[in-house]
Amino acid sequence: MVDSLGYRMKFGVIAPSTNTSVEPEYALMQPRGVTNHFGRIVIPDDPVRNDKEFEQLLVNIRGATEEALDAVMTCSPGYVIMGMSAETFWDGAGGAEKLKKKMEKCAGVTVSLGSHACDAALATYQKLNKKKIKKIAVLTPYMPVGDKNVRKFFTDNGYDVVALIGLKSPSPMLIAHEPASKLRNAIMELNGSNPDAIIQVGTNLACSAVAEEAERWLDKPVIAINAATYWFSLRDAGIKDRMEGYGRLMAEA
């Protein structure tokens, strides 16, 4: 017997309790027969005004992640998605690999990370466009210490980060309050550095629709982490359904 609704795949998703964007964005992209089941990393919505407070946010997340994973595994998902971003970039490519191995050991199933999904998205766009991507620009909601780790991840993977805008959102919950107009303006500013691709990270920034529109304006890859991570997880789990409205990855790859 299989799950009556998640008969193709039950995704377990780990996300901070303060995150109000990743769950609805994933829900919009789930194909028939695929269900998303969230385990919340319970953290306070403390102010984030500087690097020290941002690093404390990461301490809070790390302290509650395994408990959230244990909770979501009680529904026996076939695959786990890390629906949070900063930790998946921390300490660059090496840190991401360590995190993936740790989470998979705890979960006993495959675990996807947003950092790896963004890297896979860049590689896939190179195949779609038959054009090398070397220069990238990045949008984050983070403080400088978070931006430093995002930059390190992409540099470790061979990309030149030619521009980066960190929005310095004032708390983890308030990341979701950044308006679409602000995201659009930031993407346009990043495009002034003439990158081959633009990437948005931070799963509580509701950027999937903005990125999909920006791809049409700018005629280049604009990758939103939630769309990239859900696309990557579907494909990695063997689900090939395509859909319009969430960028070329979901529609064509």
Side-chain angles (χ1 to χ4, degrees):
M1 295 177 66
V2 297
D3 191 273
S4 58
L5 297 179
Y7 51 86
R8 298 171 71 194
M9 176 57 65
K10 290 189 296 185
F11 281 133
V13 186
I14 307 301
S17 55
T18 52
N19 189 314
T20 58
S21 296
V22 67
E23 186 168 1
E25 287 206 324
Y26 281 11
L28 290 170
M29 295 182 281
Q30 68 186 75
R32 183 180 296 274
V34 176
T35 52
N36 305 325
H37 307 279
F38 274 72
R40 291 293 182 164
I41 302 167
V42 179
I43 60 170
D45 185 39
D46 289 338
V48 177
R49 296 161 293 201
N50 51 53
D51 283 348
K52 183 178 180 180
E53 291 177 345
F54 189 88
E55 290 182 293
Q56 182 58 49
L57 168 63
L58 268 290
V59 170
N60 294 341
I61 288 172
R62 290 167 188 150
T65 296
E66 288 190 29
E67 184 176 356
L69 179 62
D70 289 344
V72 83
M73 292 309 297
T74 63
C75 76
S76 297
Y79 192 107
V80 169
I81 304 172
M82 296 295 285
M84 32 84 83
S85 175
E87 181 72 345
T88 75
F89 290 97
W90 215 258
D91 290 332
E97 284 299 324
K98 288 179 183 177
L99 178 63
K100 178 177 171 65
K101 289 177 181 177
K102 176 184 176 182
M103 297 303 292
E104 288 184 339
K105 183 178 180 180
C106 293
V109 298
T110 301
V111 177
S112 63
L113 275 59
S115 54
H116 289 160
C118 289
D119 189 45
L122 287 166
T124 300
Y125 269 107
Q126 291 184 78
K127 293 178 182 177
L128 287 174
N129 295 338
K130 297 181 173 59
K131 182 179 179 182
K132 184 174 178 60
I133 294 174
K134 180 65 174 177
K135 299 185 298 178
I136 64 171
V138 183
L139 173 63
T140 90
Y142 304 147
M143 291 291 160
V145 67
D147 296 341
K148 177 183 176 182
N149 281 275
V150 172
R151 185 185 293 272
K152 176 173 170 52
F153 175 85
F154 287 115
T155 301
D156 287 350
N157 282 287
Y159 297 99
D160 294 334
V161 181
V162 296
L164 187 150
I165 294 175
L167 298 178
K168 300 181 178 66
S169 299
S171 86
M173 183 272 291
L174 289 174
I175 292 171
H177 291 216
E178 302 288 6
S181 59
K182 188 173 184 178
L183 305 183
R184 181 181 64 245
N185 291 341
I187 288 170
M188 295 300 289
E189 182 178 341
L190 288 168
N191 193 53
S193 64
N194 195 32
D196 301 319
I198 297 170
I199 302 169
Q200 170 266 321
V201 306
T203 62
N204 206 20
L205 278 180
C207 196
S208 295
V210 175
E212 194 270 340
E213 293 172 3
E215 284 197 324
R216 296 197 302 271
W217 312 331
L218 303 178
D219 193 28
K220 67 178 58 175
V222 181
I223 299 166
I225 193 167
N226 286 345
T229 304
Y230 203 72
W231 160 80
F232 177 82
S233 302
L234 286 169
R235 301 299 183 259
D236 197 35
I239 297 167
K240 306 300 183 183
D241 300 47
R242 297 181 178 185
M243 63 185 73
E244 301 289 338
Y246 303 98
R248 290 185 65 201
L249 290 173
M250 290 293 281
E252 300 179 29

